[in-house]
PDB file of all heavy atoms in Angstrom:
ATOM      1  N   TYR A 475      89.643-111.768  69.827  1.00  0.00           N
ATOM      2  CA  TYR A 475      90.788-110.800  69.877  1.00  0.00           C
ATOM      3  C   TYR A 475      91.774-111.190  68.871  1.00  0.00           C
ATOM      4  O   TYR A 475      92.207-110.240  68.042  1.00  0.00           O
ATOM      5  CB  TYR A 475      91.337-110.749  71.229  1.00  0.00           C
ATOM      6  CG  TYR A 475      92.527-109.850  71.257  1.00  0.00           C
ATOM      7  CD1 TYR A 475      92.444-108.462  71.309  1.00  0.00           C
ATOM      8  CD2 TYR A 475      93.826-110.451  71.219  1.00  0.00           C
ATOM      9  CE1 TYR A 475      93.588-107.605  71.290  1.00  0.00           C
ATOM     10  CE2 TYR A 475      95.045-109.619  71.102  1.00  0.00           C
ATOM     11  CZ  TYR A 475      94.864-108.293  71.211  1.00  0.00           C
ATOM     12  OH  TYR A 475      95.879-107.434  71.141  1.00  0.00           O
ATOM     13  N   LEU A 476      92.185-112.422  68.748  1.00  0.00           N
ATOM     14  CA  LEU A 476      93.257-112.792  67.812  1.00  0.00           C
ATOM     15  C   LEU A 476      92.835-112.635  66.310  1.00  0.00           C
ATOM     16  O   LEU A 476      93.449-112.174  65.531  1.00  0.00           O
ATOM     17  CB  LEU A 476      93.571-114.304  67.989  1.00  0.00           C
ATOM     18  CG  LEU A 476      94.408-114.666  69.166  1.00  0.00           C
ATOM     19  CD1 LEU A 476      94.471-116.144  69.459  1.00  0.00           C
ATOM     20  CD2 LEU A 476      95.710-113.916  69.352  1.00  0.00           C
ATOM     21  N   ARG A 477      91.448-112.912  66.069  1.00  0.00           N
ATOM     22  CA  ARG A 477      90.884-112.802  64.779  1.00  0.00           C
ATOM     23  C   ARG A 477      90.818-111.192  64.420  1.00  0.00           C
ATOM     24  O   ARG A 477      91.151-110.879  63.338  1.00  0.00           O
ATOM     25  CB  ARG A 477      89.598-113.262  64.667  1.00  0.00           C
ATOM     26  CG  ARG A 477      89.579-114.817  64.864  1.00  0.00           C
ATOM     27  CD  ARG A 477      90.429-115.554  63.915  1.00  0.00           C
ATOM     28  NE  ARG A 477      89.851-115.659  62.664  1.00  0.00           N
ATOM     29  CZ  ARG A 477      90.391-115.943  61.461  1.00  0.00           C
ATOM     30  NH1 ARG A 477      91.746-116.273  61.510  1.00  0.00           N
ATOM     31  NH2 ARG A 477      89.854-115.915  60.419  1.00  0.00           N
ATOM     32  N   SER A 478      90.468-110.339  65.445  1.00  0.00           N
ATOM     33  CA  SER A 478      90.412-108.905  65.109  1.00  0.00           C
ATOM     34  C   SER A 478      91.824-108.437  64.711  1.00  0.00           C
ATOM     35  O   SER A 478      91.977-107.424  63.977  1.00  0.00           O
ATOM     36  CB  SER A 478      89.900-108.120  66.383  1.00  0.00           C
ATOM     37  OG  SER A 478      90.761-108.160  67.318  1.00  0.00           O
ATOM     38  N   GLN A 479      92.819-109.044  65.318  1.00  0.00           N
ATOM     39  CA  GLN A 479      94.232-108.542  64.909  1.00  0.00           C
ATOM     40  C   GLN A 479      94.673-109.025  63.628  1.00  0.00           C
ATOM     41  O   GLN A 479      95.519-108.428  63.023  1.00  0.00           O
ATOM     42  CB  GLN A 479      95.238-109.200  65.980  1.00  0.00           C
ATOM     43  CG  GLN A 479      95.066-108.742  67.446  1.00  0.00           C
ATOM     44  CD  GLN A 479      94.985-107.228  67.595  1.00  0.00           C
ATOM     45  OE1 GLN A 479      95.936-106.564  67.255  1.00  0.00           O
ATOM     46  NE2 GLN A 479      93.819-106.705  68.034  1.00  0.00           N
ATOM     47  N   LYS A 480      93.930-109.969  63.052  1.00  0.00           N
ATOM     48  CA  LYS A 480      94.271-110.359  61.681  1.00  0.00           C
ATOM     49  C   LYS A 480      93.176-109.778  60.659  1.00  0.00           C
ATOM     50  O   LYS A 480      93.129-110.183  59.460  1.00  0.00           O
ATOM     51  CB  LYS A 480      94.117-111.955  61.504  1.00  0.00           C
ATOM     52  CG  LYS A 480      95.174-112.536  62.391  1.00  0.00           C
ATOM     53  CD  LYS A 480      96.432-112.630  61.569  1.00  0.00           C
ATOM     54  CE  LYS A 480      97.464-113.578  62.369  1.00  0.00           C
ATOM     55  NZ  LYS A 480      98.758-113.613  61.711  1.00  0.00           N
ATOM     56  N   ASN A 481      92.430-108.941  61.234  1.00  0.00           N
ATOM     57  CA  ASN A 481      91.352-108.204  60.389  1.00  0.00           C
ATOM     58  C   ASN A 481      90.411-109.219  59.701  1.00  0.00           C
ATOM     59  O   ASN A 481      90.045-109.137  58.559  1.00  0.00           O
ATOM     60  CB  ASN A 481      91.985-107.356  59.367  1.00  0.00           C
ATOM     61  CG  ASN A 481      92.681-106.142  59.915  1.00  0.00           C
ATOM     62  OD1 ASN A 481      92.167-105.571  60.942  1.00  0.00           O
ATOM     63  ND2 ASN A 481      93.829-105.785  59.360  1.00  0.00           N
ATOM     64  N   LYS A 482      89.993-110.179  60.523  1.00  0.00           N
ATOM     65  CA  LYS A 482      89.007-111.159  60.065  1.00  0.00           C
ATOM     66  C   LYS A 482      87.777-110.962  60.763  1.00  0.00           C
ATOM     67  O   LYS A 482      87.640-110.400  61.768  1.00  0.00           O
ATOM     68  CB  LYS A 482      89.533-112.624  60.323  1.00  0.00           C
ATOM     69  CG  LYS A 482      90.883-112.970  59.683  1.00  0.00           C
ATOM     70  CD  LYS A 482      90.707-113.087  58.232  1.00  0.00           C
ATOM     71  CE  LYS A 482      92.181-113.630  57.738  1.00  0.00           C
ATOM     72  NZ  LYS A 482      92.043-113.881  56.409  1.00  0.00           N
ATOM     73  N   ASP A 503     102.755-118.556  64.137  1.00  0.00           N
ATOM     74  CA  ASP A 503     101.393-117.899  63.851  1.00  0.00           C
ATOM     75  C   ASP A 503     100.774-118.406  62.511  1.00  0.00           C
ATOM     76  O   ASP A 503      99.634-118.443  62.375  1.00  0.00           O
ATOM     77  CB  ASP A 503     101.651-116.404  63.708  1.00  0.00           C
ATOM     78  CG  ASP A 503     101.868-115.758  65.075  1.00  0.00           C
ATOM     79  OD1 ASP A 503     101.462-116.294  66.111  1.00  0.00           O
ATOM     80  OD2 ASP A 503     102.351-114.632  65.073  1.00  0.00           O
ATOM     81  N   ASP A 504     101.679-118.840  61.589  1.00  0.00           N
ATOM     82  CA  ASP A 504     101.202-119.397  60.343  1.00  0.00           C
ATOM     83  C   ASP A 504     100.421-120.693  60.519  1.00  0.00           C
ATOM     84  O   ASP A 504      99.311-120.912  59.954  1.00  0.00           O
ATOM     85  CB  ASP A 504     102.305-119.585  59.391  1.00  0.00           C
ATOM     86  CG  ASP A 504     103.000-118.291  58.824  1.00  0.00           C
ATOM     87  OD1 ASP A 504     102.318-117.205  58.998  1.00  0.00           O
ATOM     88  OD2 ASP A 504     104.116-118.322  58.358  1.00  0.00           O
ATOM     89  N   GLU A 507      97.023-119.734  62.120  1.00  0.00           N
ATOM     90  CA  GLU A 507      96.048-119.151  61.016  1.00  0.00           C
ATOM     91  C   GLU A 507      95.687-120.312  60.069  1.00  0.00           C
ATOM     92  O   GLU A 507      94.407-120.380  59.783  1.00  0.00           O
ATOM     93  CB  GLU A 507      96.801-118.183  60.278  1.00  0.00           C
ATOM     94  CG  GLU A 507      96.074-117.469  59.321  1.00  0.00           C
ATOM     95  CD  GLU A 507      94.770-116.707  59.969  1.00  0.00           C
ATOM     96  OE1 GLU A 507      94.954-116.273  61.121  1.00  0.00           O
ATOM     97  OE2 GLU A 507      93.782-116.447  59.315  1.00  0.00           O
TER      98      GLU A 507
END
Side-chain angles (χ1 to χ4, degrees):
Y475 174 81
L476 290 172
R477 298 302 283 164
S478 73
Q479 297 306 302
K480 297 277 188 183
N481 295 322
K482 303 285 184 181
D503 286 342
D504 291 344
E507 187 61 28

